[in-house]
Amino acid sequence: MKLLVPTLVPFQTESDGVEVISYDPAAPIPDSHTDAEALVVWGVSDALLVDAASRLPALRWVQLLSAGSDAALAAGFSDDVAITSGRSLHDAPVAEHALALTLAAARRLHTLVRAQIGHRWAGELGGLQSEPSPGVFSTLRGARVAIWGYGSIGSTLGPLLTALGAHVTGVGTRARTEGDVRVVTADDLPALFPDTDVVVMILPSSDATAGIMDATLLAALPSHAWLINVGRGATVDESALVDALRSGTLGGAALDVTVQEPLPTDSPLWDLPNLILTPHAAGGRPLGAAALIEHNLSAHRGGSALRNLVRPARKA
């Protein structure tokens, strides 16, 4: 069988009968390799995913290295193509980035950087400080953090926040207890949010999550609270977020993702003084990718269960 792997991902296999072909993820699959049975996807645009779906008739398995699978599910791959995700490959990098954004918000690094650029000594943020600082989110000690989308990334982030003194509540599709973390459902958010200092969103993009962080839920948060989004930009109503940040009904937001990426230069998000923006930088490092590809390659050839199965292949 022929397995296409992007040049961004070092991968070789000792499995007999497998030809590994490197391809440029920024270009269409060459005509000479449209007979491939398996495709690894990383760094491929939505348009090129659609192109691959239409030009690889022998394809039977797509291995994504991204945690999200919305683009692949919408690309038009045949029903007899199994799709597996890169779930767990980004747990540590995304958790680190979410923690960094949360600490940057607490220590007001966004304000300090603006002061540095303007050659201004921000004395109001230095020297003697009240503890706790009145009316602002300033520390994780005793902070109440809700992680919305409590999956593998959330369960990696939770202990990091707890180690710094935060009280973590998970929000998932079903209520449960995981270790020391109570996990509630979205139905509990109106009651949970008024006592929440930070909301970390790690939600996938889907019809059910589109704009789910809306004006009503934003208004339920205290005026000092911060919203951190390292999931998908489409899950936040950006107009409602801008209104909340401008009016002061929300303390701030740190976004690694936006509805449109790259963010248009005329977006009001750029100039909000209480917003931290990073360019979808939380992931980008699929740790353990080779091991996942090798495992699923063996499973695909042997007819056993695929890991991180998002959509099974239709049986003939």
Side-chain angles (χ1 to χ4, degrees):
M1 66 170 284
K2 181 179 290 186
L3 169 67
L4 303 182
V5 179
T7 53
L8 300 171
V9 182
F11 179 77
Q12 290 296 326
T13 183
E14 296 181 0
S15 298
D16 292 337
V18 177
E19 181 184 10
V20 178
I21 302 294
S22 294
Y23 73 93
D24 179 0
I29 301 296
D31 289 340
S32 56
H33 297 310
T34 56
D35 59 342
E37 181 180 324
L39 172 69
V40 176
V41 174
W42 181 241
V44 179
S45 69
D46 292 356
L48 288 178
L49 266 181
V50 172
D51 179 76
S54 68
R55 295 178 51 245
L56 275 65
L59 201 63
R60 293 297 176 265
W61 165 49
V62 171
Q63 174 65 63
L64 310 173
L65 298 186
S66 58
S69 55
D70 47 295
L73 291 173
F77 288 105
S78 171
D79 289 344
D80 56 4
V81 176
I83 299 177
T84 53
S85 78
R87 185 179 187 272
S88 82
L89 301 183
H90 302 275
D91 292 356
V94 176
E96 286 179 356
H97 199 81
L99 178 63
L101 291 177
T102 305
L103 287 172
R107 305 310 299 176
R108 285 167 276 185
L109 296 188
H110 56 298
T111 302
L112 295 170
V113 168
R114 287 172 182 263
Q116 178 183 351
I117 292 171
H119 295 196
R120 182 181 73 84
W121 184 259
E124 74 279 8
L125 297 181
L128 304 179
Q129 300 289 312
S130 299
E131 174 62 25
S133 300
V136 295
F137 164 59
S138 62
T139 179
L140 280 171
R141 296 183 301 277
R144 296 151 301 186
V145 181
I147 301 177
W148 193 359
Y150 199 78
S152 60
I153 295 173
S155 59
T156 301
L157 173 63
L160 304 179
L161 296 167
T162 301
L164 293 173
H167 304 293
V168 174
T169 300
V171 184
T173 55
R174 59 183 179 86
R176 60 193 188 276
T177 299
E178 286 196 14
D180 296 328
V181 176
R182 179 174 65 102
V183 182
V184 301
T185 69
D187 292 339
D188 299 302
L189 292 180
L192 178 68
F193 273 9
D195 293 320
T196 296
D197 301 300
V198 180
V199 179
V200 181
M201 296 185 66
I202 321 177
L203 292 174
S205 177
S206 69
D207 291 342
T209 63
I212 197 169
M213 179 60 87
D214 58 14
T216 300
L217 285 178
L218 288 169
L221 290 164
S223 60
H224 69 271
W226 272 70
L227 170 67
I228 315 291
N229 191 6
V230 292
R232 287 293 184 266
T235 62
V236 175
D237 181 335
E238 285 184 356
S239 295
L241 177 62
V242 169
D243 290 342
L245 293 173
R246 281 176 171 167
S247 66
T249 57
L250 185 69
L255 307 178
D256 184 55
V257 289
T258 54
V259 172
Q260 184 177 343
E261 297 177 4
L263 186 66
T265 56
D266 60 352
S267 170
L269 295 172
W270 288 108
D271 298 314
L272 291 168
N274 50 352
L275 186 135
I276 300 171
L277 185 68
T278 57
H280 206 141
R285 305 166 186 83
L287 306 181
L292 177 61
I293 297 168
E294 187 67 58
H295 177 277
N296 276 348
L297 173 62
S298 176
H300 171 71
R301 300 186 75 204
S304 56
L306 293 165
R307 185 178 296 166
N308 296 351
L309 183 63
V310 174
R311 193 192 73 180
R314 179 191 58 194
K315 294 183 179 180

